[in-house]
Amino acid sequence: MRYYIIAGEASGDLHGSNLMKALKEKDTSAEFRFWGGDLMANVAEEKPVKHYRDLAFMGFVEVIKNLPTILKNLKFCKRDIQAYQPDVLILIDYPGFNLRIAKAAKKLGVKKVVYYISPQLWAWKEGRVEVIKKFVDEMLVILPFEKDFYKKHGIHVHFVGHPLLDAIAHLPEIDQEKFRKENHLDARPIIALLPGSRKQEVEKMLNMMLSVKSKFEDYQFVIAGAPSLPPSFYEQYNTEGVHFVSNKTYDILRCSEAALVTSGTATLETALLGIPQVVCYRGSAISYAIAKRLVKHIKYISLVNLIGDKEVVKELIQNDLNTENLVRELGFVLGEKRDRILNDYAQLRMKLGGAGASQRAAEKIVE
């Protein structure tokens, strides 16, 4: 079969690549055309139609500023789908773009529309659920509470488990001594800094994360460089005495004692790797004010706390994200809160089910 897949972010590239591997196993005649990144390109052995680094705009203000580009991409995508005529269109998260494509898919000649990894409609824009009800043939969800959310709206979905469990389960053993030597790290314990995968995120987050460095001289700080950003981009920051390692986030985390993490998929990755963390988030003042009005009934912003349904990890959001609070909370996760966080992580893994999400998703799609 011919599969057209759209992933617009780094996490979508990861999950899309694992799904493509599973589809190839279950459908030996599988052909792909896709929007994504380098991981998906490695599986397909060809370049994406569009790379996610050219698609990821964060926040209301940034979206408005880049609206002409977004509209141009939408128009191009519709033409490309119509020309390719896939048997299945697979949409991975990225709702602002993908829900618009879902609406147009049948008119473009697509036989089946599958949505893999639900938009966070349970947090905001709940009305979008009607788009899914009307235009999506199969909804594959990865968070346990999403099944009840869609059931409330009269939509039958399949909970396939979380694909991050697959990605982490298949990691090879890491030789920490070798990793330190290759990346010029000394013997001190590591604190990982994950400032995000988008340029706008890093610009808002990294200097704040670096501001705690002088208070933790017995530790070394390592910035996890995003694969979507060139190492030269990070040179503008005052990183004297701080190490930088690009495109090896999982390895950095597995060698770390704790992490400062920008809210997003990385918070769940950090938890599943068993690293105590402080979750950080700061958007533009306008974007944050709009989001606060739109997001209702949600107590937390990190996936770790949402799945746990309690404060597993501390979230420092907007004005609460300052050097004083970061120093205090990082001290806690390195000390008195560490064991409690690790115990909560174990319960989190149980809630997410076992590995095999990509295989289960591929089975449903091929069916």
Side-chain angles (χ1 to χ4, degrees):
M1 286 191 288
R2 292 155 70 84
Y3 302 88
Y4 198 107
I5 307 176
I6 304 174
E9 298 167 307
S11 59
D13 181 39
L14 171 64
H15 303 324
S17 67
N18 287 326
L19 179 64
M20 287 164 78
K21 288 175 193 171
L23 285 168
K24 285 175 86 170
E25 288 174 15
K26 298 183 186 306
D27 177 7
T28 53
S29 64
E31 296 176 21
F32 299 105
R33 189 162 175 82
F34 63 99
W35 296 43
D38 298 340
L39 297 175
M40 292 172 76
N42 288 339
V43 178
E45 298 180 339
E46 58 183 83
K47 290 182 179 179
V49 178
K50 293 271 185 181
H51 200 288
Y52 70 77
R53 63 171 163 254
D54 302 320
L55 305 171
F57 303 111
M58 174 189 150
F60 299 97
V61 176
E62 290 80 5
V63 167
I64 290 167
K65 279 165 56 179
N66 291 283
L67 197 54
T69 301
I70 294 168
L71 293 173
K72 187 178 176 184
N73 285 337
L74 277 165
K75 191 175 179 181
F76 170 77
C77 184
K78 290 173 186 177
R79 286 202 311 266
D80 198 52
I81 290 169
Q82 193 166 30
Y84 187 65
Q85 285 296 294
D87 296 294
V88 187
L89 171 65
I90 303 171
L91 307 171
I92 301 179
D93 199 4
Y94 195 45
F97 191 92
N98 275 341
L99 287 174
R100 286 174 172 81
I101 296 299
K103 282 183 181 181
K106 291 293 165 67
K107 289 181 181 177
L108 300 172
V110 176
K111 296 167 188 171
K112 292 287 181 183
V113 178
V114 175
Y115 215 118
Y116 176 49
I117 305 178
S118 170
Q120 295 178 356
L121 305 183
W122 33 266
W124 68 305
K125 292 195 176 181
E126 193 166 334
R128 284 176 161 181
V129 80
E130 293 304 317
V131 176
I132 286 169
K133 198 171 188 175
K134 192 172 180 182
F135 298 104
V136 173
D137 298 300
E138 193 74 63
M139 192 78 196
L140 306 176
V141 301
I142 65 171
L143 299 174
F145 57 80
E146 290 176 326
K147 196 163 184 177
D148 289 335
F149 169 81
Y150 280 104
K151 186 178 180 181
K152 181 180 77 174
H153 289 279
I155 301 174
H156 176 69
V157 302
H158 294 280
F159 171 60
V160 295
H162 206 294
L164 275 180
L165 290 167
D166 294 344
I168 287 167
H170 294 119
L171 288 174
E173 285 290 322
I174 186 167
D175 183 333
Q176 291 204 27
E177 189 175 336
K178 183 182 177 185
F179 178 81
R180 287 170 180 266
K181 188 174 181 181
E182 286 176 349
N183 293 286
H184 313 293
L185 306 177
D186 57 47
R188 288 176 297 165
I190 293 168
I191 294 172
L193 305 181
L194 277 63
S197 60
R198 302 181 183 98
K199 183 181 175 185
Q200 298 103 313
E201 285 178 322
V202 178
E203 287 171 344
K204 284 186 171 67
M205 304 303 302
L206 188 51
N207 278 332
M208 179 54 65
M209 290 178 171
L210 289 167
S211 72
V212 307
K213 180 168 62 82
S214 63
K215 302 294 183 181
F216 296 90
E217 292 182 350
D218 293 336
Y219 295 83
Q220 58 189 321
F221 287 77
V222 180
I223 299 167
S228 55
L229 297 170
S232 58
F233 169 76
Y234 296 87
E235 291 172 4
Q236 62 188 293
Y237 298 94
N238 179 19
T239 54
E240 187 178 346
V242 176
H243 299 276
F244 172 82
V245 179
S246 185
N247 202 16
K248 292 182 181 177
T249 300
Y250 283 4
D251 288 349
I252 296 168
L253 284 169
R254 289 193 288 167
C255 296
S256 297
E257 290 292 307
L260 303 181
V261 186
T262 295
S263 180
T265 304
T267 63
L268 186 55
E269 292 172 310
T270 303
L272 293 177
L273 289 167
I275 309 304
Q277 64 185 299
V278 181
V279 175
C280 309
Y281 177 79
R282 178 177 286 168
S284 71
I286 296 172
S287 290
Y288 181 69
I290 296 170
K292 203 170 181 184
R293 286 177 179 273
L294 292 175
V295 176
K296 298 171 183 176
H297 317 303
I298 297 294
K299 293 183 285 186
Y300 308 108
I301 66 166
S302 70
L303 284 171
V304 179
N305 291 343
L306 284 165
I307 297 165
D309 196 26
K310 64 178 182 179
E311 188 182 85
V312 176
V313 294
K314 185 67 177 179
E315 298 177 353
L316 295 177
I317 305 169
Q318 211 65 5
N319 294 333
D320 287 338
L321 181 61
N322 56 55
T323 303
E324 182 183 353
N325 287 345
L326 265 180
V327 169
R328 183 184 67 250
E329 295 301 330
L330 182 55
F332 284 152
V333 302
L334 289 166
E336 63 190 69
K337 287 186 178 180
R338 185 177 186 84
D339 289 343
R340 193 269 299 159
I341 291 172
L342 293 176
N343 286 334
D344 286 344
Y345 281 175
Q347 293 177 31
L348 183 80
R349 279 190 285 272
M350 289 174 64
K351 281 190 174 185
L352 288 172
S358 304
Q359 295 290 330
R360 288 189 286 273
E363 268 176 34
K364 284 292 173 190
I365 292 167
V366 173
E367 269 179 28

